[in-house]
C-alpha cells in the first residue's frame, strides 16, 4: 500500500514540475517529438514581416488577419501595429477598426489584455489617425 | 387527369383541391417574387463571423456618390475624417460590429417552451391512451394477488441470505 502511495505521490510531483507557469505571451507550438519548435519571437517576427510587405494587397491582408485570428493566441502589439500600417497602405480604415475589434474579441474573458494592447498601440493609432471602437461608440450595442 | 375526375365529380371542394395541386407554369411565373434568389456561391461572399474578421468582400457593393467621395477622402490622412465618417466607412465594409455579432437572443426560451409544449401534448395523449386504449391490467397486478405472491416467495425462501427473504423476520412474522 505504501508503495502505491509513493508511486502516486511521485507522479503527482512530476505533474507539478511538468506544468509550466502560464506565460503572458501564448505560444503557438505544435507537439513534435522531433524537429524545431518555433519560439515566440520567431513567430512574432514572421508575422510582422508578413504584414510589413510594402506592396501587400488586400487579399493578403485579409488572409493574414483571418489566419492570425484563427490561432489560439492574442497577437502581440507589434504584429497588430504592422497590420494596421498595412491597412494604411491599402487605404482601408474599416479593416483597421475591425482588426482592433477582433483582437479585443480574441482576448475573451481576459479583460486586461485589450487595454494593454491599446496602450502599446497608442503612438501608432495617433500617427495614423485610427480611432478605437470605443472612441467611435461601437463597443456598445 | 385530375381535372377530368374533378369535372366528373363536379364538387366545388374537389375542383379547389385540383387547382391547389396542379402546378401550372403560368401561376408560378406570375408569383416570381415569392421565389427566393439563389446565392451564387462561386463568388466571394460576405459574412459576419467572429473568427473571420475580414470577409472575402465588402458588405455594400453599390456605393452612392457620397460613399465614393468618402472613399476618395479615405486615401488621405485619416486624422481628417470625422467620427461619423469613420463609422460610415466601417458600415460600408461591414454589416455588424463585433458586439452586434455576439448579441445573444431569446431564442432559447422559444425552444424550451416548444419542447415542453410537445412533451405536454404527448403526456395528454398517453393519459387518454391509458384511459381508453389500453386493455385492463392482468389479474396478477391486483393487490390481493400481489400479497399472495409475496407470501409464496417468502415460503419459498427466495434469496434467503442477502436478498428478499433475508429481510423477513420468520420468528416474528414481519419485515425486519
Amino acid at each position: 500500500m505504501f508503495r502505491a502511495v509513493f508511486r502516486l505521490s511521485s507522479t503527482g510531483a512530476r505533474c507539478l514540475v511538468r506544468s509550466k507557469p502560464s506565460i503572458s505571451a501564448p505560444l503557438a507550438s505544435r507537439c513534435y517529438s522531433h524537429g524545431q519548435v518555433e519560439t515566440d519571437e520567431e513567430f512574432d517576427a514572421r508575422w510582422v514581416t508578413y504584414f510589413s510587405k510594402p506592396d501587400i494587397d488586400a487579399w493578403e491582408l485579409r488572409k493574414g488577419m483571418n489566419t492570425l485570428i484563427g490561432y489560439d493566441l492574442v497577437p502581440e502589439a507589434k504584429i497588430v501595429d504592422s497590420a494596421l500600417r498595412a491597412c494604411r497602405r491599402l487605404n482601408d480604415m474599416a479593416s483597421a477598426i475591425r482588426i482592433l475589434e477582433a483582437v479585443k474579441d480574441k482576448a475573451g474573458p481576459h479583460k486586461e489584455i485589450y487595454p494593454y494592447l491599446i496602450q502599446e498601440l497608442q503612438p501608432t493609432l495617433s500617427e495614423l489617425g485610427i480611432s478605437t471602437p470605443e472612441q467611435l461608440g461601437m463597443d456598445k450595442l | 387527369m385530375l381535372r377530368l375526375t374533378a369535372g366528373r365529380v363536379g364538387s366545388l371542394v374537389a375542383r379547389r383541391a385540383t387547382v391547389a395541386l396542379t402546378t401550372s407554369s403560368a401561376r408560378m411565373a406570375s408569383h416570381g417574387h415569392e421565389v427566393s434568389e439563389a446565392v451564387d456561391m462561386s463568388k466571394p461572399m460576405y459574412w459576419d463571423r467572429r473568427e473571420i474578421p475580414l470577409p472575402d468582400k465588402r458588405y455594400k457593393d453599390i456605393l452612392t456618390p457620397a460613399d465614393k467621395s468618402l472613399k476618395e477622402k479615405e486615401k488621405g490622412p485619416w486624422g481628417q475624417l470625422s467620427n461619423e465618417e469613420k463609422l460610415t466607412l466601417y458600415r460600408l465594409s461591414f454589416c455588424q460590429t463585433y458586439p452586434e455579432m455576439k448579441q445573444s437572443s431569446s431564442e432559447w426560451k422559444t425552444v424550451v417552451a416548444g419542447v415542453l409544449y410537445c412533451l405536454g401534448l404527448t403526456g395528454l395523449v398517453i393519459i387518454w391512451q391509458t384511459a381508453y386504449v389500453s386493455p385492463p391490467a392482468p389479474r396478477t397486478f391486483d393487490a390481493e394477488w400481489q400479497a399472495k405472491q409475496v407470501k409464496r416467495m417468502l415460503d419459498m425462501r427466495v434469496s434467503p441470505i442477502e436478498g428478499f427473504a433475508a429481510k423477513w423476520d420468520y420468528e416474528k412474522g414481519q419485515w425486519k
Side-chain angles (χ1 to χ4, degrees), chain B residues 73-93:
Chain B
K73 197 174 170 190
E74 198 185 10
K75 293 181 183 166
W78 286 343
Q80 288 174 358
L81 295 166
S82 71
N83 281 3
E84 287 73 30
E85 287 173 329
K86 289 177 183 172
L87 269 171
T88 314
L89 281 168
Y90 184 91
R91 292 289 179 188
L92 280 178
S93 297

Side-chain angles (χ1 to χ4, degrees), chain A residues 62 65-66 69 87-88 91-95 97-98 101-102 105 128-131 135-136 138-139 141, chain B residues 48 50 52-56 74-76 78 86-87 89-90 93-94 96-103:
Chain A
R62 287 199 304 269
M65 266 328 294
N66 293 337
I69 295 295
C87 289
R88 174 65 266 192
N91 299 320
D92 194 351
M93 156 68 102
S95 294
I97 305 175
R98 190 75 156 184
E101 281 192 304
D105 184 53
L128 298 177
I130 301 172
S131 305
Q135 285 167 345
L136 296 173
M138 281 165 56
D139 56 330
L141 279 168
Chain B
D48 281 309
R50 285 172 62 186
I52 305 179
L54 305 176
D56 294 341
E74 198 185 10
K75 293 181 183 166
W78 286 343
K86 289 177 183 172
L87 269 171
L89 281 168
Y90 184 91
S93 297
F94 305 109
Q96 285 183 314
T97 67
Y98 265 69
E100 285 165 9
M101 258 191 258
K102 288 159 76 168
Q103 249 174 344

Side-chain angles (χ1 to χ4, degrees), chain A residues 21-27 40 73-74 76 113 116:
Chain A
S22 55
I23 315 166
S24 56
L27 192 63
D40 289 354
L73 50 83
V74 181
E76 283 278 338
I113 297 183
Y116 163 75

Side-chain angles (χ1 to χ4, degrees), chain B residues 103-176:
Chain B
Q103 249 174 344
S104 57
S105 71
S106 295
E107 193 193 2
W108 69 271
K109 296 177 192 166
T110 316
V111 171
V112 169
V115 167
L116 291 174
Y117 179 73
C118 290
L119 285 174
L121 274 179
T122 313
L124 286 174
V125 168
I126 290 171
I127 291 169
W128 180 86
Q129 269 183 332
T130 47
Y132 290 102
V133 175
S134 339
R139 59 189 170 146
T140 52
F141 279 70
D142 297 340
E144 198 191 320
W145 186 287
Q146 290 277 318
K148 285 186 192 165
Q149 190 171 294
V150 167
K151 177 92 177 59
R152 185 159 177 270
M153 282 167 78
L154 289 171
D155 292 341
M156 277 199 286
R157 308 285 198 271
V158 167
S159 308
I161 300 150
E162 287 193 359
F164 191 75
K167 298 196 171 82
W168 178 261
D169 192 342
Y170 282 95
E171 280 95 54
K172 290 191 201 142
Q174 63 188 30
W175 291 105
K176 287 185 187 164

